[in-house]
Amino acid sequence: MTRILIVEDEERIASFVRKGLSANGFDPHIVADGPSAIQAARTGSFDLVILDIGLPGQDGFSVLRSLRESRVDTPVIILTARDSLTDTVAGLEGGADDYMTKPFRFDELLARVRLRLRRSESTPEATLLSAGELALDLRTRRAQVAGRTVDLTAREFMLLELFLRHPGQVLSREQILAHVWGYDFDPGSNIVDVYVRALRRKLGAHHITTVRGMGYAIGR
Ligand code: CA
């Protein structure tokens, strides 16, 4: 059974999440402060951690840092208040896999939980993604095009990784924005197009197909 660690000091929220997870076949455990969270997560017996930021004594960011420093790579979804989104983005850079802003609906959280679990299950050892002439090494963060090595910026890497995890599938600008830049990014922004252009310049224009009115795809 999939074990999930809930780190939340507000009893009402902790119990709401626990009940929802139990009802969906998960095995949830609650701790209410930072030190207990670190201790529990370090046992390695949890498949995922749901981590509140505002905790007594030691906040969620510090818990996360401490876990990542001690090489605990369990997926972490952070829970945060909407007014601290800037901090949240910092949290994502600090090793969180995803975040939810409070208040949230349980089904939103459940979707994130399932996504994270699937991702960590399906790719524990995969370090190389490929489609056709393209390959991406997840450890060195370098791409190869027909044997030629290409250096990528952090965002270009995330974008190419997203494409290669969904070969042949059309990804909308909104999906790409949400995955690579986060949900609070301005949906009217043309940043996706800018980065697709940058990738095409580096990889060769024909690898990424524009699907008119829908988005972009690789391997079609
Ligand atoms: Ca709290």
Side-chain angles (χ1 to χ4, degrees):
M1 203 182 218
T2 306
R3 284 164 57 90
I4 298 183
L5 181 65
I6 304 167
V7 187
E8 172 61 81
D9 60 315
E10 262 171 87
E11 242 179 81
R12 190 177 48 87
I13 298 178
S15 134
F16 159 75
V17 172
R18 180 179 53 77
K19 282 182 195 149
L21 289 174
S22 292
N24 283 278
F26 296 100
D27 180 17
H29 293 257
I30 299 174
V31 294
D33 64 80
S36 315
I38 293 174
Q39 204 180 11
R42 275 190 183 149
T43 62
S45 63
F46 290 96
D47 302 291
L48 183 131
V49 179
I50 296 173
L51 176 64
D52 183 34
I53 291 304
L55 294 169
Q58 186 177 10
D59 75 13
F61 291 130
S62 148
V63 170
L64 180 61
R65 227 176 6 255
S66 159
L67 289 178
R68 294 309 187 224
E69 274 165 17
S70 50
R71 300 279 154 90
V72 175
D73 59 359
T74 312
V76 171
I77 298 176
I78 59 184
L79 299 180
T80 184
R82 187 163 282 282
D83 56 11
S84 52
L85 265 181
T86 322
D87 296 347
T88 305
V89 172
L92 289 174
E93 313 255 298
D97 298 279
D98 209 342
Y99 70 91
M100 290 284 331
T101 51
K102 294 174 177 178
F104 52 88
R105 297 199 320 269
F106 182 74
D107 59 348
E108 294 173 318
L109 178 64
L110 184 62
R112 304 283 171 89
V113 165
R114 289 199 164 126
L115 180 71
R116 290 302 139 190
L117 288 171
R118 206 160 52 229
R119 195 163 285 181
S120 61
E121 235 167 54
S122 58
T123 56
E125 300 300 325
T127 55
L128 197 72
L129 299 174
S130 63
E133 292 182 321
L134 292 179
L136 183 66
D137 189 319
L138 299 179
R139 284 167 310 177
T140 64
R141 307 201 143 216
R142 284 201 177 113
Q144 294 229 320
V145 188
R148 175 174 63 93
T149 301
V150 178
D151 285 315
L152 301 173
T153 65
R155 295 287 182 191
E156 288 166 359
F157 170 82
M158 288 169 78
L159 180 57
L160 183 57
E161 180 187 4
L162 180 66
F163 278 126
L164 290 177
R165 286 195 188 278
H166 303 87
Q169 198 177 317
V170 182
L171 300 173
S172 70
R173 283 179 181 76
E174 292 72 27
Q175 282 172 314
I176 296 172
L177 257 186
H179 273 85
V180 179
W181 282 272
Y183 292 86
D184 54 328
F185 213 90
D186 173 15
S189 159
N190 70 340
I191 192 152
V192 171
D193 309 276
V194 170
Y195 272 79
V196 165
R197 263 204 303 281
L199 269 187
R200 280 178 171 156
R201 259 199 310 275
K202 289 189 175 182
L203 306 174
H206 62 288
H207 295 291
I208 305 175
T209 313
T210 304
V211 183
R212 197 169 289 278
M214 291 177 71
Y216 295 107
I218 257 179
R220 275 169 73 95

